[in-house]
Amino acid sequence: MELIKFGTDHVENLVSQDPARLDRLPFGAILVDRGGRVMKYNAYESALASRPPGEVVGKNFFNDVAPCTKGHQFQGRFQQGVAQGSMNTMFEYSFDYKMNPAKVRVHMKSTSIEEGIWIFIKRL
């Protein structure tokens, strides 16, 4: 079985090469467009957040899915990366929207902003 580690430099390329990998990742993975609309949402994140993909895909991540991420630390970094045209940043965060607070490590990464921005999430 293939092991893809959190923070791997090329994880977004591995998922692009084989879309079935998305649901085999051992951490959460959300693909959003430059406006924050969720395009893909993997099984691990669905289980972690107790939200099925059908409830999340197509909605705005910052407004509808995880409003606790609004603010400089999360959404601000996202907007900065969009403005710069690429993104590769990692930080710790605490999710608390409709759930017990969960401390996580977040890796936001893009190959190109036009293809979307991956938000990878690993519970600490």
Side-chain angles (χ1 to χ4, degrees):
M1 183 172 151
E2 176 183 34
L3 177 65
I4 300 174
K5 292 184 179 181
F6 182 84
T8 299
D9 283 338
H10 60 287
V11 67
E12 74 283 1
N13 291 330
L14 293 173
V15 172
S16 293
Q17 292 167 3
D18 178 6
R21 283 183 172 127
L22 182 62
D23 284 327
R24 294 195 311 259
L25 292 173
F27 47 84
I30 305 163
L31 180 65
V32 298
D33 67 13
R34 63 185 304 128
R37 185 180 56 85
V38 177
M39 300 179 339
K40 295 183 182 182
Y41 189 79
N42 80 338
Y44 189 96
E45 184 61 25
S46 176
L48 182 68
S50 299
R51 297 182 78 177
E55 181 183 304
V56 174
V57 173
K59 295 196 174 158
N60 184 280
F61 179 78
F62 300 103
N63 296 328
D64 308 318
V65 177
C68 63
T69 60
K70 287 184 135 187
H72 178 72
Q73 186 181 5
F74 203 117
Q75 188 179 26
R77 289 178 180 176
F78 175 86
Q79 291 169 333
Q80 182 180 14
V82 168
Q84 292 173 347
S86 68
M87 184 175 317
N88 188 4
T89 186
M90 195 175 303
F91 57 95
E92 291 187 5
Y93 196 76
S94 184
F95 279 100
D96 61 2
Y97 180 68
K98 293 187 178 181
M99 60 190 283
N100 289 329
K103 190 162 179 131
V104 298
R105 179 162 290 127
V106 176
H107 185 194
M108 286 194 282
K109 185 162 186 0
S110 68
T111 304
S112 99
I113 296 298
E114 286 69 36
E115 294 175 14
I117 298 96
W118 283 102
I119 303 172
F120 299 111
I121 301 168
K122 179 181 177 183
R123 189 177 280 239
L124 298 177

